[in-house]
Amino acid sequence: MSMKSPASAPPAEARNPRRWLGLVFIGLAQLMIVLDITIVNIALPSAQQDLGISSGDRQWVITAYTLAFGSLLLLGGRIADRTGRRRAFLIGLVGFAGASALGGAAGDLGLLLTARTLQGVFAALLAPSALSLLTVSFTEARERAKAFGVFGAIAAGGGAVGLVVGGLLTEYLDWRWCLYVNVPIAAVALFGRLVLPADAPAAGRTRTDWPGVLLAVSGLVSVVYGCSEAESEGWDSRLVVGLLTLGVVLLVAFVLRESRTPSPLLPLRVVADRARGSAYLAVALAVIGMFGMFLFLTYYMQVVKDYSAVLTGVAFLPLTGGVLAGAGGIATRLLPRVPPRALVVPGLTLAAAGTGWLSFVEADTSYAAGVLPAEILVGLGMGLVMATSMNYATRGVRPEDSGIASATVNTAQQIGGSVGTALLNTVAASATADHLAGRPRSPEALREGLVVGFQEAYTVAALVLLGAAFLIGLLMNAPRPRHDAAAGPPASHEAPAAHLG
């Protein structure tokens, strides 16, 4: 007879009757995190002017957050498993809101960077605890599909909402409200304490794998920082090559450490499962298309088409509509009925078609003929991919591993976004420079050069997404879910699944 786990998923007859209300608060927390990825980008030009930030230092407003968030996610997930998911969720909410308020009140670059770093630290605790709460709250296949459809829609479409909100706040209030806005969202989400599953005292606590923590954090910092520097220094610079090489070496050492220690930070059984491993890979590769859409379309509409920040945000709304249709409509209905790759592979293919469409957009192409169809295709595809992948990324894990499994999918998203943004930006910048070589630098020529760069970047993004569709089609071999089975395994057993290797 096995010992009862404090994190065990409740049986069907004992499920939390207020779990759907809990989903509202979990969704608010996730929305706050996703909003922060894009909303600060909109506020950055105004903040730079207000605080006198140099062009060389402005990137740190973004990088400070991504470094802290991406590198500490695994630790945050394990803390949630060890100390309690609801407790970690509430601490993350309060900390993130406090850091946001500090950033909004910042009077100089140093304080703003401190606040952004703290935002990343608390987001690394909040994101995996939110997803793991969702995992243990919804265990029946049909309910789980609906819940993850909502969560996946927020994860994939929240960035577009951030562009709209950021544009409105910056234009009609002040850039500081792009940070202050997190405070009321967190205040409402705190009411989740009344309905979210309670934490039980942890039995038989194990030691924290601090050497593993050090290897994981330093390795992820090296990779994320190396990718961020690649945009300005070039992929072949000594700094970038050194950072990426160091990151890979440290992460390989981390994997070796986790395979031998009795109390690993990341049990390899979590990622060795073929369905979960494929889900992590799908998320990492899919965000390349999503980040490319946000990055280059923002410049295309504001610099090439001369849209205002508010109009640019509004122009992204069809993307959000596509995500909602893909995740909340199609994926929610089909997740309990079909194998996961029957949704992920078409989703990646649709996203590839959308980014490929953008590779033909010219400076004088109308919004209706160029941007709109691409946004709908990418939105539909991302909705299918994110809802399905986040479901299977946490499906079948031992209850005591739900936090670290949730952290791993968030880490995959951060690493994929960092690598993809740096890669596509390098492709675009090189193509633009080649096009402008020997040409007069008139405004028209500069716009034309930017468009050529965007076309090249979108071509690469489409090829990456097509390659991802082929790869996931081969790897993700999980069968159609059983209607009578819970998504979570019993407390003392790992759900049967195919494994890599």
Side-chain angles (χ1 to χ4, degrees), residues 84-120:
R85 301 179 189 93
R86 188 174 71 173
R87 184 179 296 112
F89 179 81
L90 296 174
I91 293 172
L93 271 177
V94 173
F96 194 90
S100 299
L102 180 66
D108 56 56
L109 176 62
L111 189 57
L112 181 59
L113 292 183
T114 299
R116 291 288 288 164
T117 302
L118 289 173
Q119 277 187 309

Coordinates of all heavy atoms in Angstrom, one line a residue, residues 84-120:
G84 N 3.7 23.8 -1.8 CA 2.3 23.9 -2.1 C 2.0 24.8 -3.2 O 2.5 25.9 -3.3
R85 N 1.1 24.3 -4.1 CA 0.8 25.1 -5.3 C 0.1 26.4 -5.1 O 0.4 27.4 -5.6 CB 0.0 24.2 -6.3 CG 0.8 22.9 -6.7 CD 0.0 22.1 -7.6 NE 0.6 20.8 -7.8 CZ 0.3 19.7 -7.0 NH1 -0.6 19.8 -6.1 NH2 0.9 18.6 -7.2
R86 N -1.0 26.3 -4.2 CA -1.7 27.5 -4.0 C -0.9 28.5 -3.2 O -1.0 29.7 -3.5 CB -3.0 27.2 -3.1 CG -3.9 28.3 -3.0 CD -5.2 28.0 -2.3 NE -5.0 27.7 -0.9 CZ -6.0 27.5 0.0 NH1 -7.3 27.5 -0.4 NH2 -5.8 27.3 1.3
R87 N -0.1 28.1 -2.3 CA 0.8 29.0 -1.6 C 1.7 29.7 -2.5 O 1.9 30.9 -2.5 CB 1.6 28.3 -0.5 CG 2.4 29.2 0.4 CD 3.1 28.4 1.4 NE 2.2 27.8 2.4 CZ 2.0 26.4 2.5 NH1 2.6 25.6 1.6 NH2 1.1 26.0 3.3
A88 N 2.4 28.9 -3.4 CA 3.3 29.5 -4.4 C 2.6 30.4 -5.4 O 3.1 31.5 -5.7 CB 3.9 28.4 -5.2
F89 N 1.3 30.1 -5.7 CA 0.5 30.9 -6.6 C 0.3 32.3 -6.0 O 0.5 33.3 -6.6 CB -0.8 30.2 -6.9 CG -1.8 31.0 -7.8 CD1 -1.6 31.0 -9.2 CD2 -2.8 31.7 -7.2 CE1 -2.5 31.6 -10.0 CE2 -3.7 32.3 -8.0 CZ -3.6 32.3 -9.4
L90 N -0.1 32.3 -4.7 CA -0.5 33.6 -4.0 C 0.8 34.4 -3.8 O 0.8 35.6 -4.0 CB -1.1 33.3 -2.7 CG -2.5 32.5 -2.8 CD1 -3.0 32.2 -1.5 CD2 -3.5 33.4 -3.6
I91 N 1.9 33.8 -3.4 CA 3.2 34.5 -3.2 C 3.6 35.1 -4.6 O 4.0 36.3 -4.6 CB 4.3 33.6 -2.7 CG1 3.9 33.2 -1.2 CG2 5.6 34.3 -2.7 CD1 4.8 32.1 -0.6
G92 N 3.5 34.3 -5.6 CA 3.9 34.8 -6.9 C 3.0 36.0 -7.4 O 3.5 37.0 -7.9
L93 N 1.7 35.9 -7.1 CA 0.8 37.0 -7.5 C 1.2 38.3 -6.7 O 1.4 39.4 -7.3 CB -0.6 36.7 -7.1 CG -1.5 36.0 -8.1 CD1 -2.8 35.6 -7.5 CD2 -1.6 36.8 -9.4
V94 N 1.4 38.2 -5.4 CA 1.7 39.4 -4.6 C 3.1 40.0 -5.0 O 3.2 41.2 -5.2 CB 1.7 39.1 -3.1 CG1 2.2 40.2 -2.3 CG2 0.3 38.7 -2.7
G95 N 4.0 39.1 -5.2 CA 5.4 39.6 -5.6 C 5.4 40.2 -6.9 O 6.0 41.3 -7.1
F96 N 4.7 39.6 -7.9 CA 4.6 40.2 -9.3 C 4.0 41.5 -9.3 O 4.4 42.5 -9.9 CB 3.9 39.2 -10.2 CG 4.1 39.5 -11.6 CD1 5.1 39.0 -12.4 CD2 3.2 40.4 -12.3 CE1 5.3 39.3 -13.7 CE2 3.4 40.7 -13.7 CZ 4.5 40.1 -14.4
A97 N 2.9 41.7 -8.5 CA 2.2 42.9 -8.4 C 3.0 44.0 -7.8 O 3.1 45.2 -8.2 CB 0.9 42.8 -7.7
G98 N 3.7 43.6 -6.7 CA 4.6 44.6 -6.0 C 5.7 45.0 -6.9 O 6.1 46.2 -6.9
A99 N 6.3 44.1 -7.6 CA 7.4 44.4 -8.6 C 6.9 45.3 -9.7 O 7.6 46.3 -10.1 CB 8.1 43.2 -9.1
S100 N 5.7 45.1 -10.2 CA 5.1 45.9 -11.2 C 4.9 47.4 -10.7 O 5.2 48.3 -11.4 CB 3.8 45.3 -11.7 OG 4.0 44.0 -12.2
A101 N 4.4 47.5 -9.5 CA 4.2 48.8 -8.9 C 5.5 49.6 -8.7 O 5.6 50.8 -9.0 CB 3.5 48.7 -7.6
L102 N 6.6 48.8 -8.3 CA 7.9 49.4 -8.2 C 8.4 49.9 -9.5 O 8.9 51.0 -9.6 CB 8.9 48.4 -7.6 CG 10.3 48.8 -7.4 CD1 10.4 49.9 -6.3 CD2 11.2 47.6 -7.0
G103 N 8.2 49.1 -10.6 CA 8.6 49.5 -11.9 C 7.9 50.7 -12.4 O 8.4 51.6 -13.1
G104 N 6.6 50.8 -12.2 CA 5.8 51.9 -12.6 C 6.2 53.2 -11.9 O 6.1 54.3 -12.5
A105 N 6.7 53.1 -10.7 CA 7.1 54.3 -9.9 C 8.6 54.6 -10.1 O 9.1 55.6 -9.6 CB 6.9 54.1 -8.5
A106 N 9.3 53.8 -11.0 CA 10.8 54.0 -11.1 C 11.1 55.4 -11.7 O 10.5 55.9 -12.6 CB 11.3 52.9 -12.0
G107 N 12.1 56.0 -11.1 CA 12.6 57.3 -11.5 C 13.9 57.2 -12.3 O 14.4 58.3 -12.8
D108 N 14.5 56.1 -12.4 CA 15.7 55.9 -13.1 C 15.8 54.5 -13.7 O 15.1 53.6 -13.3 CB 17.0 56.3 -12.3 CG 17.0 55.5 -11.0 OD1 17.0 54.2 -11.1 OD2 17.1 56.1 -9.9
L109 N 16.8 54.2 -14.5 CA 17.0 52.9 -15.1 C 17.3 51.9 -14.1 O 16.8 50.7 -14.2 CB 18.1 53.0 -16.2 CG 18.5 51.7 -16.8 CD1 17.3 51.1 -17.6 CD2 19.7 51.9 -17.8
G110 N 18.1 52.2 -13.1 CA 18.5 51.1 -12.1 C 17.3 50.6 -11.4 O 17.2 49.3 -11.2
L111 N 16.4 51.4 -10.9 CA 15.2 50.9 -10.2 C 14.3 50.2 -11.2 O 13.6 49.2 -10.8 CB 14.5 52.1 -9.6 CG 13.3 51.8 -8.6 CD1 13.8 50.9 -7.5 CD2 12.7 53.0 -8.1
L112 N 14.2 50.6 -12.4 CA 13.3 49.9 -13.4 C 13.9 48.5 -13.7 O 13.1 47.6 -13.7 CB 13.2 50.8 -14.7 CG 12.4 50.2 -15.8 CD1 10.9 50.0 -15.3 CD2 12.4 51.1 -17.0
L113 N 15.2 48.4 -13.8 CA 15.8 47.1 -14.1 C 15.6 46.2 -12.9 O 15.4 45.0 -13.0 CB 17.2 47.2 -14.4 CG 17.6 47.9 -15.7 CD1 19.1 47.9 -16.0 CD2 16.9 47.2 -16.9
T114 N 15.7 46.7 -11.6 CA 15.5 46.0 -10.4 C 14.1 45.4 -10.4 O 13.8 44.2 -10.1 CB 15.7 46.8 -9.2 OG1 17.1 47.2 -9.2 CG2 15.5 46.0 -7.9
A115 N 13.1 46.3 -10.7 CA 11.7 45.9 -10.8 C 11.4 44.8 -11.8 O 10.7 43.8 -11.6 CB 10.8 47.1 -11.0
R116 N 12.0 45.0 -13.0 CA 11.8 44.0 -14.1 C 12.4 42.6 -13.7 O 11.9 41.6 -14.0 CB 12.5 44.5 -15.4 CG 11.7 45.7 -15.9 CD 10.4 45.3 -16.5 NE 10.6 44.5 -17.8 CZ 9.7 43.8 -18.3 NH1 8.5 43.6 -17.8 NH2 9.9 43.1 -19.5
T117 N 13.6 42.7 -13.0 CA 14.2 41.4 -12.6 C 13.3 40.7 -11.5 O 13.1 39.5 -11.6 CB 15.6 41.7 -11.9 OG1 16.4 42.3 -12.9 CG2 16.2 40.4 -11.5
L118 N 12.8 41.5 -10.6 CA 11.9 40.9 -9.6 C 10.6 40.4 -10.2 O 10.0 39.4 -9.8 CB 11.5 42.0 -8.5 CG 12.7 42.3 -7.6 CD1 12.2 43.5 -6.7 CD2 13.0 41.1 -6.7
Q119 N 10.1 41.1 -11.3 CA 8.9 40.6 -12.0 C 9.3 39.2 -12.5 O 8.4 38.2 -12.5 CB 8.6 41.5 -13.1 CG 7.7 42.7 -12.8 CD 7.3 43.4 -14.0 OE1 8.1 43.8 -14.9 NE2 6.0 43.7 -14.1
G120 N 10.4 39.0 -13.1 CA 10.8 37.7 -13.7 C 10.9 36.7 -12.6 O 10.5 35.5 -12.8

